[in-house]
Amino acid sequence: MSATTAPSGAGRRLSAAEGRIARAALAELPREGLILLDAGPMAERIAWLLPAGCGLNVLTNSVPAALGLASRRDLSVHLLGGHVSAAAGTMPASVRLLEQVHVDVAFMVADGVSPGRGLTCSDPAEVMARRAMVRASDRIVLLADHTRIGNDRISRFARLDEADCLITDTGTDPDALRGLRGRGPRVLAV
């Protein structure tokens, strides 16, 4: 299986499925406006794939994504404040700032996606910021490979129907995909 180097400096490599998910997410970019890129290799990969001349405003809690985009003159890049995690290259987003912004499309990651509990994460400290990301956004594009589908982690940050689009990979169990369809988000398996 081929892999591509993840933009984060943590040495994590994207699987082929994660790379396909990130590339498919580009079809969800708005023509103009503000996008939010969550931390994590799939969302960070979108940063590297943003088309030249797109003119978007980018808000992110990912230090690697912000640094990677900083030299682009066709983008306006804003890094959310908070505590920096050296291991992950991320910062919990500032809830206060997120309450003041309007995001056209948020590209978010979840550690778990289940029909019953919705979108969950493993770190309870992230819940308030992730909820604020959801509230600030007109559209939520959820990026979740097959290892996250059907999982339920400790902290719920959104209902499944709060996501507009779920992009996963073809390795996702067909029964799990059927269980997600019709529950809110448009589901794409790439």
Side-chain angles (χ1 to χ4, degrees):
M1 180 187 311
S2 68
T4 7
T5 304
S8 70
R12 165 98 157 58
R13 296 174 63 81
L14 287 177
S15 69
E18 291 170 319
R20 287 192 312 272
I21 291 167
R23 285 187 299 281
L26 294 175
E28 303 297 323
L29 287 172
R31 287 195 170 297
E32 59 183 33
L34 176 65
I35 65 169
L36 184 146
L37 293 178
D38 197 0
M42 283 186 284
E44 291 167 359
R45 173 60 68 191
I46 294 169
W48 299 107
L49 296 172
L50 288 174
C54 65
L56 292 169
N57 291 297
V58 179
L59 180 64
T60 186
N61 62 331
S62 166
V63 174
L67 290 174
L69 294 173
S71 64
R72 293 213 21 201
R73 297 194 187 281
D74 63 327
L75 300 171
S76 176
V77 181
H78 308 273
L79 182 62
L80 288 164
H83 174 76
V84 176
S85 167
T90 65
M91 308 178 350
S94 167
V95 173
R96 295 188 119 213
L97 175 62
L98 286 165
E99 290 171 348
Q100 306 305 313
V101 299
H102 168 262
V103 175
D104 295 295
V105 181
F107 295 90
M108 296 187 66
V109 211
D111 296 328
V113 179
S114 69
R117 279 201 68 224
L119 315 181
T120 58
C121 59
S122 300
D123 186 353
E126 295 179 11
V127 170
M128 296 306 290
R130 288 180 175 271
R131 283 184 183 161
M133 288 177 180
V134 170
R135 284 191 308 270
S137 304
D138 280 348
R139 292 186 62 239
I140 304 294
V141 176
L142 182 63
L143 314 169
D145 70 12
H146 68 276
T147 65
R148 298 164 191 260
I149 304 297
N151 288 327
D152 189 4
R153 300 298 184 220
I154 191 169
S155 301
R156 182 174 86 154
F157 64 90
R159 296 181 323 271
L160 187 59
D161 66 357
E162 290 179 277
D164 297 282
C165 178
L166 164 62
I167 305 174
T168 188
D169 64 272
T170 54
T172 303
D173 178 51
D175 289 334
L177 284 176
R178 277 189 289 281
L180 294 170
R181 288 195 167 102
R183 299 216 179 226
R186 178 171 43 98
V187 179
L188 303 173
V190 296

